[in-house]
Amino acid sequence: MPELVFFSGTMDCGKSTLALQIEHNRSARGLQGMIFTRDDRAGEGKLSSRLGLVTDAVEVEDGQDLYGYLVDHLSQGRRADYVIADEAQFLAPEQIDQLARVVDDLGLDVYAFGITTDFRSKLFPGSQRLVELADRVEVLQVEALCWCGARATHNARTIGGHMVVEGAQVVVGDVNQPDDIGYEVLCRRHHRRRMTAATARAASLSPDVLPVSSA
Ligand SMILES: Nc1ncnc2c1ncn2[C@@H]1O[C@H](COP(=O)(O)OP(=O)(O)O)[C@@H](O)[C@H]1O
Ligand SMILES: Cc1cn([C@H]2C[C@H](O)[C@@H](COP(=O)(O)O)O2)c(=O)[nH]c1=O
């Protein structure tokens, strides 16, 4: 039975790497994938992983009908044996419904990859729809870690290393951007306390928390 699978995890846990591996394994057996993405850091029409691999993809536009796109593609006599959708959190809920229809009416497997929640730990609308519709939600096995060593479950947006909670839901960016706007993955405890690696380091150096000298 074809399936809609949502591979989910924090930023930097290997989602795009897995998408590229699925693509590689299937294309090595002569299958042809339709790869969708939106707002990848590597630029328009790219699906990229931090491990350095990159492949071409169809850049999804606002309002684009993904089911219609595949029907047109197939009716031109072109092939698509399965579908990959990376950065799926950026897709509109209607586009997720269209991907579900691709599974049900065209009989293709659809593998969607994305983060579930934003920097305020609120669901992205596209991810919410994926959780609602997917046959399976798979949490990636490679754990991204919080600075404290616990499993990272939340995405923080940072400016100069400090966690912010105001701003637009979508700001394309990367982890390890200490001087700029960036992201850091945290455990829930430290996300709630807005404690990033930089804030924790500063706190541990603060005279307030240094042991009181007996001299
Ligand atoms: N220099 C490196 N050496 C080994 N693994 C790395 C390196 N840089 C990144 N990675 C791995 O790549 C993962 C990020 O992969 P990526 O597919 O870009 O993540 P995602 O799509 O989930 O944001 C990291 O979790 C880490 O395991
Ligand atoms: C938390 C959060 C993330 N984003 C952006 C930042 C990146 O461009 C992508 C996630 O990509 P990754 O391959 O999973 O690292 O999402 C955002 O726009 N808003 C957010 O709140």
Side-chain angles (χ1 to χ4, degrees):
M1 281 285 276
E3 285 186 309
L4 173 60
V5 188
F6 180 28
F7 292 95
S8 151
T10 59
M11 288 181 69
D12 201 23
C13 72
K15 300 179 300 298
S16 300
T17 305
L18 180 61
L20 286 158
Q21 287 174 317
I22 289 177
E23 161 61 14
H24 173 81
N25 291 352
R26 278 166 180 62
S27 61
R29 291 287 175 248
L31 298 173
Q32 211 156 315
M34 170 67 69
I35 306 181
F36 291 119
T37 190
R38 185 168 179 149
D39 291 334
D40 188 285
R41 283 178 304 275
E44 203 165 297
K46 298 286 174 202
L47 189 173
S48 72
S49 132
R50 291 180 182 80
L51 284 180
L53 297 169
V54 60
T55 192
D56 289 334
V58 174
E59 181 78 16
V60 176
E61 310 286 345
D62 280 345
Q64 185 176 356
D65 178 349
L66 302 182
Y67 176 78
Y69 186 90
L70 270 149
V71 168
D72 286 352
H73 179 86
L74 295 169
S75 56
Q76 286 163 21
R78 299 162 74 191
R79 270 181 69 185
D81 301 309
Y82 60 93
V83 175
I84 286 175
D86 198 24
E87 306 294 354
Q89 72 275 3
F90 293 150
L91 301 182
E94 307 76 61
Q95 290 171 324
I96 304 299
D97 281 73
Q98 292 154 13
L99 290 178
R101 192 171 172 205
V102 166
V103 178
D104 297 341
D105 295 359
L106 302 181
L108 304 183
D109 282 314
V110 176
Y111 307 108
F113 299 82
I115 53 177
T116 319
T117 54
D118 67 10
F119 69 111
R120 278 189 278 234
S121 62
K122 300 286 182 201
L123 288 165
F124 282 93
S127 306
Q128 177 181 342
R129 198 67 187 131
L130 271 164
V131 171
E132 290 162 353
L133 290 185
D135 294 290
R136 276 189 295 136
V137 178
E138 297 276 344
V139 177
L140 262 76
Q141 287 184 352
V142 178
E143 295 183 354
L145 299 181
C146 180
W147 58 265
C148 69
R151 181 182 182 138
T153 47
H154 288 68
N155 305 296
R157 184 177 290 161
T158 56
I159 297 181
H162 293 269
M163 180 169 155
V164 294
V165 292
E166 299 293 332
Q169 185 175 51
V170 176
V171 175
V172 175
D174 205 350
V175 293
N176 300 321
Q177 308 287 312
D179 301 327
D180 212 347
I181 182 156
Y183 291 93
E184 181 174 335
V185 294
L186 298 174
C187 66
R188 187 189 58 235
R189 175 176 289 109
H190 289 126
H191 195 276
R192 282 183 44 245
R193 294 176 184 167
R194 301 185 192 177
M195 195 174 266
T196 61
T199 332
R201 210 176 307 118
S204 73
L205 293 174
S206 154
D208 294 345
V209 295
L210 287 177
V212 179
S213 156
S214 55

